[in-house]
Amino acid sequence: MAILETARLGFPLLSAGQAHKELFHNEALARIDFLIHPIVQAVETDPAAIVPVPGQSWLVGSGATSDWLDHDDQVAGWTGNGWMFIAPLPLMRVYVETIDNFAIYRGSWQMVEAVASPAAGAVVDIEARMVIDSILAALEAQGILMSDP
């Protein structure tokens, strides 16, 4: 019997006459819970170094050990019953609490870099810089860009 799951994110699907449908349904809901507005605590490689609470998740760093072995770059979410691993898709974006920044998956997780306001140049156009600064402020307010420290 073929495993029934969604094409992109691998959510388990129900089949006619399937026993224990609630298990598959609950797993799908747990995956959705980790993926809607994804927030991870940190990037970590050793799950023994943390004390997880149900609903928390981490980005699995390269060279992960123990329960996370062979899950590099995945999102590891603690369900209370064990770890749930979610493979990232290109351009997936998560918020990393410990560094107060976003990470974007582009073959590996990359932290978002702040865009600096315009500076320098032979001719300074104050009005143009003010407009650029207001655009950057609007993008930061929407969470699209990180603010320049």
Side-chain angles (χ1 to χ4, degrees), residues 7-148:
R8 289 186 341 120
L9 296 172
F11 292 168
L13 297 172
L14 302 177
S15 64
Q18 178 179 356
H20 304 291
K21 290 181 182 188
E22 67 278 2
L23 298 176
F24 290 85
H25 178 74
N26 289 346
E27 181 182 343
L29 291 177
R31 286 180 172 272
I32 289 168
D33 192 38
F34 284 117
L35 288 171
I36 292 178
H37 189 68
I39 297 174
V40 298
Q41 276 45 62
V43 179
E44 185 61 66
T45 58
D46 183 7
I50 57 177
V51 179
V53 172
Q56 288 183 326
S57 58
W58 285 261
L59 289 183
V60 179
S62 39
T65 61
S66 188
D67 291 343
W68 292 1
L69 188 64
D70 297 326
H71 291 284
D72 292 4
D73 282 337
Q74 294 184 12
V75 175
W78 182 252
T79 65
N81 294 320
W83 293 106
M84 174 177 286
F85 296 98
I86 301 167
L89 296 174
L91 299 179
M92 183 179 200
R93 179 178 143 166
V94 299
Y95 176 74
V96 184
E97 281 190 339
T98 56
I99 58 173
D100 189 28
N101 197 357
F102 289 96
I104 297 179
Y105 186 76
R106 292 184 172 113
S108 65
W109 289 103
Q110 300 171 7
M111 299 305 147
V112 174
E113 294 183 25
V115 177
S117 293
V123 177
V124 176
D125 184 337
I126 298 299
E127 291 83 11
R129 288 188 179 185
M130 286 174 36
V131 169
I132 293 170
D133 282 340
S134 68
I135 292 168
L136 291 175
L139 292 172
E140 289 169 6
Q142 295 297 317
I144 296 169
L145 294 178
M146 296 303 296
S147 59
D148 196 15

